[in-house]
Amino acid sequence: MRYRFVLALAVLWAGPAAGQTLFEWPDTAVDVSKYTTIEECWAAVGRVRRRIAEEKEWTDANRGMWRDTMPDLVQGTAVEPLPERVRETARACLSRFADPEAVPIDAYWILVPLYLHAGWDDRAWALVERRMAAVSDDDPEALAAAADTMIDILRGSPKGGHHALAVQPPRYDLVDELLARYADRISDRVLRFRAYSRSLSWATYPPGDSVEAKRERDRATRVLALFDSLADHEIDRLVQQSQSMLTEIEAYRAQFGALMELSYGGREALLDSLRSSTSAYVKLTKQFEKRLPPVLGQLYAEATGGFAIGSRAPAIEADIWIGCEQDPCEPRPRPGRISLVVFASPGECVGVIAGPGEMYLDRCAVMLIRLRRLKQRFPELDITTVSRSLGFWGYLKEGITPEREAELTWRWLNSFGVEAALAMVRTDYWRLPDPDARRIDTESANDRNYTFGKGGRVQSGAAFLIDEDGIVVRVDDLTALIEVEAEFTELIAVLFERKGARAGK
Amino acid sequence: MIGRSLHDGRILSPDDCRALLRRVHALAEGGGDTAIRVSSWWHGELRWARNQIRTLSDRRDVRLTVIRTVRNGRDGAVTTNQLDDASLEAAVRAAERQSRMGAKIGRGVGFYPQFPHYEPFPNAAIWSDATFEAAALARAEVARRMIAHAEAQGMLSAGYLEVRAAMTATLGTEFPELRTGEHAFWEQPYVRWTQAQGSMTVRNAAGTGSGWAGLSSYDWRRIESASGALAERAVQKCVASQDPVALEPGRYTVILEPQAVADLMEPLIQSFNREPPEMGLTSPWRLAYDEALGLWRTKLGMKVVDERITISHDPADPDQGIVMHPLDLPEPVTWIERGVLKNLGHDWATEVEKLKGWHAVRGADAYRMSGGDTSLDEMIRTTRRGLLVTRFSNVAVLDGESLLSTGLTRDGLWLIENGQITKAVKNFRFTESPLFVLNHIEQLGEPVPVFRPTKREGDRLRPAIVPPVKARDFSFTSVIDAI
């Protein structure tokens, strides 16, 4: 009783400020010594990984390291080794589960990645072998399923997308080892094909003669060879098993085509051809396209802007020009200049800004930052941004005219350091009859011209690289999360090199 | 008149709110942005059952959400109802810690023009001093009179009387250089409103009859003055609905009292949104995909119900006041005009991007349905065989495209034969679409305010004015035992 009284008194004396425990930040430090189950270790590793990722973002942001100053490699983080804190957490927590022969085999899908996180490759492999040995050769379905699951784990794409279990960097060496050891045990060729096809990275692959590139090339060759060896009834089975299977096969071939370009010296050959002439470059690109089956050729053409390359770039039409170095602005692209024509309309890219949460760097800004850097690298590059009026700008509607849209767009581009001429087209539009009244924008002349007969609207972010003779060399999406900037940089450098060489003659 | 009485703490007054916002803003540390959303409510409640008052309470609360965004951090939000200095500081610090846990890089980087200025709507007829000052004893006196009606007839009654007041306001510091007034366009200036609502159910001692009446308004005086009539109505319905007979389910001509119409129309009223059908999502207003234009066409401009039906709302109507945001269109909106779908509610971004104006258009949070001049007696007199429905409950949508719905009749269902109410009928389950009913109208009566309560404290007003409707071929699908 006396203690209760003292306790009550202590609470009263604590006062209101001390009573604010509601807002005390919880202790999020991971005490792995308390964890006694595999699942707790999984959770602990996940928390540490998540925390490190957030800290990194925060630290980078505080240093002012925004995306525009970072390398343009979006796959970069996935191939880096895990931070030491994650490895330490895995090692400390797994000390109770360190023997791969003694752990429950059902937990292999958690323990194999955690062993790899800990740096215990030998234990991970021992558990892989234990798991595969547990499946009978007489059951090809089970064997293929086990191989599929294991391949997914080793290449960093665990089933269910559990971030904590994503092996980093992907262990394609172990994938190859697994296939070498076990693929032939899968007697059913269709299932074996599926296991092999699963082993392709699908990620951006390193060009050249690196070990990773050779491995990827070997796997792609095996997958395609195995597919070509399938009989018709086996392909029918593939289609029955998965509606998307044939599409995937086509994609493998597209991948293979790109690999040919990138890995078998194709990239260098293309650049060499461009050094010679744009027509030689276009011819070689078309040859790559023709070496592929029709559907794949189409995909390849889409990826490289094949619908446009080799064509003469049409003159940009505009009602309002801003930011030109010379007067008049037109014609653009200018004869004798290496040009980049970029469709960049904030209304299409940012859309309607409905609050402060939408005013931050996003993929639109990525496009602008790339433009700025290209201009910084190549001051002589003639950049023309092409926009069209939409009837609003960000959050402004009342009083907005095409002239005002052009002015605001120009200031917006400038604020990201983009030095380029702006061509604004006054968009013709009509409205569905009242009361629907939706605005229907008609295609502009620039849309018609720059789709080169395809029709439709040119998407914001589409960039057309044009040589000094006015011929389109490359088309790509500057907002895409791939190495667009690096590719453009290579090509622009060659074009300027070629132009310099011509001038020197 | 409300003066200092707001300071008794029922809800935050404009001055208190402003002072509170200033206090919280001053607590921010480390730069970045602060946005604050504050709301407070007072809820006076009275509930009774079996003719005895069981609950008589006054409750109130305040919610303050502070959103801190330190430089390059993510949004960190903390909500508290403790307004002392220590608690507020703790909340702000916690929000800042949250903000630092993530990154939202490059906020506000780049050029942006000044924000557009939107005038707050004056919000007519949403505040009643009488509601705000309705004391517990006054509510008890009204309840006592209503209970007395039931007791005098030997009936059991249950019901509730609620009075509420609420306020809300948001204020941020983001982008001070872009602001054209105290509030950015997405913020809600201080607004306050009241709500009063009363509902009474009467049962006979044997449990074989049930009657109901209810009303809601922003003004307590309307409930107070109508309380006698409401009680009398509930008692009368109970007496008349005793010992019902079972009828075969089937299609009947129905006379739907205004409350029944409002209950049945709720799915229709909730469907007046433009974005779902234009995105191809399930909606009664989706028409078909237009391959040529690459968009979903809607039924806007098409005749969808009987040409005698107009569904509209005027925010300046003293019976139709609602809480408006500055982005909302400060004008009357008509969704269905003489049977033609004329408008659908949509958000501000849709209006700015695709349409002609620069305000959001509200959905039918509050509405008036047009009526006619046929009295309920006349409707009954001209009916050869049909059913008179007091109200529906448990209405649920079965099909979002046709709005086919199901629900139950409650608290009084009668058979009409040759122009006379002949007997009470056991309740039915119905399976019917409000669109079907509005296309099978025979007669319409005078629209009246109905019971459309708010559910939670701080909910916004949603008044409805609805006529009685006589319609043919209404589908009842099964008999239910509940009275």
Side-chain angles (χ1 to χ4, degrees):
Chain A
M1 197 61 164
R2 188 181 161 198
Y3 291 123
R4 279 187 196 166
F5 173 73
V6 171
L7 187 64
L9 213 56
V11 170
L12 287 174
W13 281 346
Q20 298 305 318
T21 52
L22 187 61
F23 301 112
E24 284 295 321
W25 198 249
D27 180 10
T28 52
V30 178
D31 183 359
V32 293
S33 66
K34 289 180 182 172
Y35 300 154
T36 56
T37 67
I38 295 168
E39 287 77 10
E40 283 176 318
C41 287
W42 170 14
V45 168
R47 277 197 297 275
V48 173
R49 285 187 78 166
R50 199 163 52 246
R51 180 68 184 259
I52 288 173
E54 288 189 335
E55 280 175 359
K56 185 172 186 316
E57 276 194 68
W58 168 243
T59 311
D60 289 346
N62 256 358
R63 288 184 195 148
M65 286 177 63
W66 294 350
R67 285 178 202 151
D68 69 325
T69 53
M70 289 180 177
D72 197 358
L73 280 173
V74 289
Q75 299 291 336
T77 54
V79 296
E80 286 172 5
L82 283 174
E84 188 53 33
R85 272 163 64 192
V86 179
R87 299 162 72 89
E88 272 174 23
T89 304
R91 279 194 291 269
C93 197
L94 288 175
S95 57
R96 292 178 195 80
F97 311 102
D99 182 359
E101 300 301 327
V103 294
I105 191 64
D106 289 349
Y108 76 92
W109 63 281
I110 305 173
L111 284 173
V112 169
L114 290 186
Y115 281 160
L116 291 171
H117 290 355
W120 297 344
D121 289 19
D122 51 342
R123 293 175 194 181
W125 185 250
L127 193 52
V128 169
E129 290 195 311
R130 194 177 151 213
R131 166 68 186 130
M132 297 306 293
V135 189
S136 164
D137 286 4
D138 297 334
D139 189 350
E141 291 270 355
L143 199 57
D148 281 0
T149 307
M150 206 58 84
I151 289 168
D152 282 347
I153 290 170
L154 296 174
R155 69 192 184 98
S157 304
K159 279 192 170 60
H162 301 294
H163 174 66
L165 301 181
V167 172
Q168 185 179 317
R171 299 301 300 272
Y172 283 104
D173 54 333
L174 297 181
V175 171
D176 289 341
E177 183 72 24
L178 182 86
L179 287 169
R181 291 263 191 106
Y182 298 102
D184 289 345
R185 277 177 59 194
I186 306 171
S187 55
D188 185 313
R189 280 156 33 93
V190 172
L191 294 175
R192 197 190 311 163
F193 167 78
R194 293 189 62 163
Y196 268 112
S197 64
R198 219 174 187 87
S199 68
L200 279 179
S201 76
W202 287 103
T204 311
Y205 31 81
D209 292 326
S210 67
V211 174
E212 289 80 6
K214 283 178 180 168
R215 283 198 173 124
E216 182 75 359
R217 201 159 57 228
D218 288 347
R219 278 192 295 276
T221 309
R222 257 180 294 171
V223 167
L224 289 169
L226 193 53
F227 177 70
D228 286 339
S229 74
L230 293 179
D232 286 349
H233 71 276
E234 289 173 318
I235 293 177
D236 286 346
R237 268 184 59 212
L238 266 180
V239 176
Q240 284 166 8
Q241 284 174 13
S242 168
Q243 291 289 336
S244 62
M245 182 54 76
L246 272 186
T247 315
E248 285 178 24
I249 294 162
E250 298 294 297
Y252 295 148
R253 285 189 183 275
Q255 187 99 340
F256 187 64
L259 275 170
M260 283 199 306
E261 181 192 310
L262 286 170
S263 303
Y264 288 119
R267 188 85 199 147
E268 286 73 18
L270 278 171
L271 292 175
D272 279 345
S273 66
L274 187 60
R275 283 186 188 98
S276 168
S277 70
T278 300
S279 60
Y281 168 83
V282 171
K283 192 175 169 187
L284 190 57
T285 307
K286 300 281 184 190
Q287 277 177 7
F288 277 129
E289 192 180 316
K290 282 180 187 161
R291 282 160 69 178
L292 296 166
V295 177
L296 305 181
Q298 197 181 331
L299 287 171
Y300 181 71
E302 291 281 346
T304 56
F307 65 96
I309 62 170
S311 305
R312 180 160 297 282
I316 295 295
E317 295 186 18
D319 297 303
I320 303 152
W321 285 96
I322 306 183
C324 302
E325 292 164 6
Q326 84 293 352
D327 188 26
C329 270
E330 296 163 285
R332 291 243 173 187
R334 283 192 283 178
R337 299 287 296 263
I338 295 161
S339 305
L340 195 62
V341 170
V342 185
F343 285 72
S345 188
E348 289 171 314
C349 201
V350 180
V352 178
I353 297 170
E358 293 165 28
M359 297 168 73
Y360 60 92
L361 282 180
D362 58 6
R363 290 178 70 169
C364 300
V366 169
M367 169 182 71
L368 300 176
I369 287 159
R370 285 172 170 168
L371 272 181
R372 189 190 74 202
R373 293 199 293 214
L374 285 173
K375 183 69 178 176
Q376 283 170 344
R377 286 187 197 116
F378 305 104
E380 292 299 309
L381 181 67
D382 217 25
I383 300 178
T384 305
T385 51
V386 182
S387 194
R388 63 189 181 90
S389 63
L390 296 170
F392 71 95
W393 202 99
Y395 37 75
L396 297 181
K397 176 77 176 278
E398 207 181 44
I400 284 289
T401 60
E403 288 74 16
R404 177 87 172 124
E405 273 189 65
E407 181 209 335
L408 293 171
T409 302
W410 167 245
R411 291 183 66 180
W412 183 71
L413 291 168
N414 257 285
S415 68
F416 286 94
V418 176
E419 290 177 25
L422 171 69
M424 172 71 83
V425 177
R426 199 186 307 267
T427 308
D428 283 335
Y429 69 92
W430 56 283
R431 289 189 180 277
L432 290 172
D434 282 342
D436 190 312
R438 268 177 285 179
R439 173 178 164 132
I440 310 291
D441 288 354
T442 57
E443 285 173 10
S444 69
N446 293 329
D447 284 322
R448 280 192 298 279
N449 293 339
Y450 273 81
T451 50
F452 294 88
K454 279 183 16 173
R457 187 163 293 147
V458 182
Q459 296 300 311
S460 193
F464 297 76
L465 177 62
I466 296 156
D467 73 4
E468 67 268 37
D469 299 322
I471 305 298
V472 178
V473 175
R474 179 83 175 184
V475 185
D476 223 323
D477 178 4
L478 269 188
T479 65
L481 296 174
I482 53 175
E483 289 88 339
V484 177
E485 188 179 342
E487 290 174 12
F488 270 118
T489 302
E490 275 183 337
L491 295 170
I492 295 167
V494 169
L495 287 175
F496 275 111
E497 182 189 313
R498 188 179 80 183
K499 190 179 176 190
R502 281 183 185 175
K505 278 183 183 173
Chain B
M1 192 60 203
I2 301 301
R4 295 300 299 170
S5 64
L6 273 175
H7 291 258
D8 70 0
R10 279 190 168 172
I11 62 170
L12 288 172
S13 69
D15 290 343
D16 291 343
C17 180
R18 197 171 293 115
L20 176 62
L21 292 171
R22 271 201 300 267
R23 275 170 64 205
V24 179
H25 278 301
L27 291 167
E29 285 182 357
D33 300 325
T34 309
I36 304 165
R37 184 168 59 241
V38 62
S39 58
S40 66
W41 55 261
W42 158 75
H43 178 71
E45 184 182 33
L46 183 150
R47 291 182 179 272
W48 78 90
R50 301 185 71 82
N51 292 343
Q52 290 189 342
I53 294 173
R54 303 298 174 100
T55 305
L56 181 56
S57 71
D58 279 79
R59 293 180 289 125
R60 60 191 171 204
D61 200 2
V62 60
R63 284 174 68 85
L64 181 139
T65 299
V66 54
I67 303 164
R68 286 283 290 129
T69 312
V70 298
R71 187 173 172 272
N72 295 330
R74 72 181 181 200
D75 290 346
V78 168
T79 299
T80 181
N81 65 354
Q82 304 297 308
L83 304 185
D84 60 278
D85 289 342
S87 300
L88 289 177
E89 184 168 3
V92 174
R93 294 290 92 77
E96 286 166 352
R97 278 195 295 273
Q98 263 192 42
S99 178
R100 290 192 185 98
M101 287 300 293
K104 200 171 194 177
I105 299 168
R107 178 168 163 135
V109 168
F111 161 78
Y112 292 95
Q114 282 210 308
F115 295 146
H117 182 67
Y118 284 82
E119 283 293 333
F121 185 73
N123 287 308
I126 58 171
W127 179 263
S128 157
D129 288 355
T131 306
F132 189 64
E133 291 170 345
L137 285 179
R139 302 196 299 268
E141 178 56 29
V142 172
R144 193 192 60 74
R145 287 202 302 267
M146 294 175 81
I147 293 168
H149 273 284
E151 277 184 328
Q153 299 286 329
M155 303 286 180
L156 291 171
S157 70
Y160 68 86
L161 294 169
E162 290 179 346
V163 280
R164 295 172 176 172
M167 59 68 56
T168 190
T170 56
L171 186 64
T173 61
E174 306 98 334
F175 310 107
E177 72 283 7
L178 301 181
R179 288 173 180 258
T180 48
E182 186 183 8
H183 292 274
F185 63 93
W186 60 83
E187 294 170 354
Q188 171 75 62
Y190 180 96
V191 60
R192 67 182 191 193
W193 65 98
T194 53
Q195 166 83 349
Q197 51 202 33
S199 166
M200 180 180 186
T201 304
V202 176
R203 299 271 168 97
N204 63 357
T208 58
S210 179
W212 174 90
L215 189 62
S216 52
S217 167
Y218 76 98
D219 189 349
W220 163 248
R221 286 171 301 186
R222 296 196 189 176
I223 311 293
E224 191 177 27
S225 61
S227 60
L230 290 173
E232 183 60 32
R233 182 177 172 76
V235 168
Q236 280 179 358
K237 280 187 171 286
C238 178
V239 170
S241 69
Q242 292 181 81
D243 304 320
V245 299
L247 279 189
E248 280 296 313
R251 289 199 176 272
Y252 287 85
T253 293
V254 287
I255 297 171
L256 306 175
E257 292 190 6
Q259 190 61 48
V261 175
D263 295 336
L264 181 68
M265 291 301 141
E266 200 61 36
L268 174 73
I269 294 303
Q270 298 295 331
S271 74
F272 289 131
N273 295 311
R274 184 168 190 141
E275 285 86 0
E278 288 187 355
M279 293 165 67
L281 302 177
T282 301
S283 163
W285 317 121
R286 182 180 66 179
L287 187 61
Y289 188 72
D290 188 325
E291 294 284 354
L293 295 177
L295 51 77
W296 282 88
R297 300 298 287 260
T298 68
K299 294 179 185 171
L300 277 164
M302 297 175 69
K303 185 171 178 297
V304 290
V305 294
D306 189 289
E307 64 195 16
R308 286 170 286 180
I309 294 298
T310 293
I311 300 176
S312 60
H313 176 250
D314 181 356
D317 182 336
D319 290 327
Q320 294 272 278
I322 57 169
V323 177
M324 301 269 280
H325 188 277
L327 290 179
D328 291 336
L329 183 70
E331 293 166 15
V333 175
T334 301
W335 299 282
I336 290 181
E337 186 175 4
R338 296 180 184 277
V340 176
L341 184 66
K342 284 286 190 180
N343 215 337
L344 290 170
H346 52 267
D347 65 24
W348 176 80
T350 299
E351 181 74 44
V352 169
E353 186 178 14
K354 297 179 184 169
L355 305 173
K356 296 176 183 173
W358 60 306
H359 282 93
V361 171
R362 59 192 176 278
D365 298 330
Y367 69 97
R368 173 190 290 271
M369 184 186 290
S370 62
D373 55 6
T374 310
S375 69
L376 212 55
D377 288 343
E378 178 68 8
M379 288 184 192
I380 293 168
R381 197 183 62 74
T382 56
T383 302
R384 194 178 66 78
R385 182 178 164 81
L387 291 165
L388 174 64
V389 182
T390 300
R391 69 180 185 121
F392 295 113
S393 73
N394 295 74
V395 178
V397 177
L398 300 172
D399 172 41
E401 196 95 29
S402 63
L403 289 183
L404 185 72
S405 304
T406 187
L408 312 173
T409 63
R410 296 302 295 266
D411 302 316
L413 178 69
W414 293 274
L415 179 66
I416 301 165
E417 293 174 298
N418 299 318
Q420 300 280 332
I421 293 176
T422 54
K423 55 189 70 134
V425 177
K426 277 195 169 185
N427 283 308
F428 276 127
R429 171 171 290 282
F430 75 87
T431 306
E432 192 55 275
S433 163
L435 288 168
F436 179 90
V437 173
L438 293 183
N439 275 300
H440 289 76
I441 292 172
E442 291 197 343
Q443 292 169 318
L444 288 163
E446 185 188 351
V448 296
V450 294
F451 179 69
R452 200 158 178 245
T454 53
K455 298 260 177 2
R456 290 170 303 179
E457 305 88 354
D459 279 356
R460 301 193 175 203
L461 301 166
R462 48 203 292 271
I465 297 175
V466 181
V469 171
K470 180 173 160 185
R472 59 187 177 278
D473 295 332
F474 190 94
S475 173
F476 292 107
T477 44
S478 62
V479 178
I480 59 166
D481 284 332
I483 61 167

